[in-house]
């Protein structure tokens, strides 16, 4: 590994780099979302649900997270769903799991609406740019669970294949393996418009662009709906691996990342400790070149970031190329939407 002090602060221009080194895949991180809406910068959705003004998590709800040793909402909601069904099967007269399910889901809904950019503030030019840029790749691996990518895809959906193009909008492995010229979009951690049933089967919520966020905000009856939100909001990398293994769709997405060949573009992704499962997938993939975006905050920051990424792949026969995030179409400053006061 190159010592920290030997890295310079120079960053390549994305246009020149992409012309000389075409990338067949794009790994999208939260930096892409933050380039549009700064409120996507938050350390913990779990912490926000504890402090949200409207109906935050109570100590009773928090005890469920503690009992399961997780901060992952999908795991907790799934467990409460199972508990409710078991109670019903055994004729146990307890509404506590159902009530906790509703309360946690409501806190999650309120928190997401608090941090997510409203549809009415989305700029058409940004959605068009995202749609055009994502379509340049054979596969887009999105680790974000917000709705920016789904909204962008809906601008011209025929250019994309999100693997939910079935009559019931569910993920089917045999359909997913069918070759297509359209850009595949894989949500590595799920997304707000995806849900999972009790058997781990993934399904996409349908709707128009303006209603997609509000669809997530419907707290359905637990007796009438077998689905829970499918997105891994946070937790340790090992915890994320557990959630991924329990869902056929997420497992498939990660297997595809592990098999990616040639060159991969990474945009807005820190590849930090919480992303060790993604780092391991990249290390296992037969990649030749990794083109990584770095935001030019300062020369010291650029050197630090180069050192960080180089350390992750120091023992791999992999070429690392570093480019200025602001020169990539997804990082153009004009995409940034001012926060409402």
């Amino acid at each position: 590994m190159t010592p920290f002090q030997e890295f310079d602060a120079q960053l390549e221009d994305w246009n020149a780099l992409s012309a000389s080194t075409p990338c067949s895949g794009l790994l999208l991180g939260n930096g892409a979302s933050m380039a549009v809406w700064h409120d996507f910068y938050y350390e913990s959705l779990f912490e926000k649900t504890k402090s949200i003004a409207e109906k935050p998590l109570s100590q009773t709800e928090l005890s469920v997270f503690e009992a399961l040793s997780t901060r992952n909402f999908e795991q907790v909601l799934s467990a409460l769903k199972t508990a409710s069904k078991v109670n019903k099967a055994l004729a146990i007269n307890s509404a506590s799991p159902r009530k906790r399910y509703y309360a946690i889901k409501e806190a999650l809904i309120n928190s997401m609406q608090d941090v997510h950019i409203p549809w009415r503030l989305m700029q058409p030019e940004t959605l068009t740019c995202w749609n055009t840029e994502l379509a340049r790749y054979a596969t887009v691996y999105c680790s974000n669970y917000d709705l920016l990518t789904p909204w962008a895809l809906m601008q011209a959906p025929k250019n994309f294949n999100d693997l939910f193009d079935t009559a019931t909008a569910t993920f089917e492995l045999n359909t997913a393996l069918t070759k297509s010229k359209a850009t595949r979009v894989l949500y590595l951690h799920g997304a707000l418009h995806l849900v999972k049933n009790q058997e781990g089967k993934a399904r996409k919520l349908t709707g128009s662009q303006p209603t997609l966020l509000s669809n997530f905000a419907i707290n359905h009856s637990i007796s009438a709906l077998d689905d829970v939100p499918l997105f891994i909001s946070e937790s340790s990398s090992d915890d994320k691996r557990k959630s991924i293994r329990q869902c056929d769709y997420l497992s498939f997405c990660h297997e595809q990342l592990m098999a990616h060949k040639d060159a991969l573009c990474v945009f807005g992704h820190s590849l930090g400790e919480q992303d060790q499962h993604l780092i391991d997938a990249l290390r296992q993939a037969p990649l030749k070149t990794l083109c990584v975006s770095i935001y030019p905050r300062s020369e010291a920051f650029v050197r630090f970031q180069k050192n960080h990424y180089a350390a992750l792949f120091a023992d791999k026969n992999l070429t690392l190329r570093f480019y200025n995030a602001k020169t990539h179409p997804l990082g153009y400053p004009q995409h940034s939407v001012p926060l409402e006061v």
Side-chain angles (χ1 to χ4, degrees), residues 219-334:
N219 210 353
H220 293 281
S221 166
I222 195 169
S223 61
L225 185 70
D226 280 335
D227 298 328
V228 295
L230 178 57
F231 69 92
I232 305 173
S233 55
E234 57 191 271
S235 65
S236 67
S237 186
D238 287 341
D239 211 19
K240 290 176 181 177
R241 292 181 204 268
K242 180 180 178 181
S243 293
I244 291 166
R245 287 195 299 267
Q246 293 174 344
C247 177
D248 59 349
Y249 168 73
L250 296 182
S251 296
F252 177 84
C253 292
H254 281 260
E255 288 169 1
Q256 297 304 295
L257 180 61
M258 287 189 289
H260 194 90
K261 299 178 181 179
D262 302 323
L264 178 70
C265 172
V266 178
F267 183 83
H269 215 302
S270 62
L271 293 180
E273 182 181 356
Q274 72 281 3
D275 302 311
Q276 189 60 50
H277 58 298
L278 298 181
I279 296 169
D280 291 344
L282 293 175
R283 287 175 53 81
Q284 183 174 331
L287 291 168
K288 294 181 180 179
T289 305
L290 205 59
C291 301
V292 184
S293 73
I294 296 179
Y295 191 84
R297 190 173 301 168
S298 67
E299 289 191 0
F301 178 76
V302 171
R303 292 191 179 98
F304 178 85
Q305 289 295 92
K306 285 186 175 183
N307 185 74
H308 164 67
Y309 292 115
L312 296 178
F313 305 99
D315 60 338
K316 307 299 291 185
N317 185 21
L318 179 66
T319 300
L320 288 175
R321 305 282 294 273
F322 301 106
Y323 65 92
N324 187 331
K326 295 170 71 174
T327 65
H328 192 286
L330 299 183
Y332 288 165
Q334 59 263 36

Side-chain angles (χ1 to χ4, degrees), residues 135-211:
R136 299 184 190 279
Y137 302 90
T139 305
V140 173
Y141 305 95
C142 182
S143 66
N144 306 331
Y145 53 82
D146 61 65
L147 293 176
L148 294 190
T149 297
W151 278 343
L153 267 55
M154 293 171 76
Q155 292 290 100
K158 291 184 179 180
N159 295 330
F160 301 93
N161 177 17
D162 63 4
L163 309 187
F164 291 97
D165 189 21
T166 62
T168 56
T170 56
F171 170 76
E172 301 294 342
L173 182 59
N174 58 339
T175 304
L177 294 174
T178 303
K179 291 187 177 181
S180 170
K181 293 183 179 180
T183 296
R184 294 189 311 167
V185 180
L186 310 179
Y187 298 97
L188 298 173
H189 293 152
L192 293 182
H193 69 310
L194 302 181
V195 293
K196 186 186 76 168
N197 65 18
Q198 200 72 19
E199 289 71 43
K201 181 69 69 175
R203 181 172 66 86
K204 180 175 71 172
L205 298 176
T206 57
S208 63
Q209 289 168 308
T211 64

Side-chain angles (χ1 to χ4, degrees), residues 28-45:
L28 208 54
N30 193 49
S33 299
M34 287 172 52
V36 175
W37 185 246
H38 190 265
D39 264 10
F40 281 129
Y41 177 73
Y42 54 89
E43 293 186 1
S44 170
L45 184 60

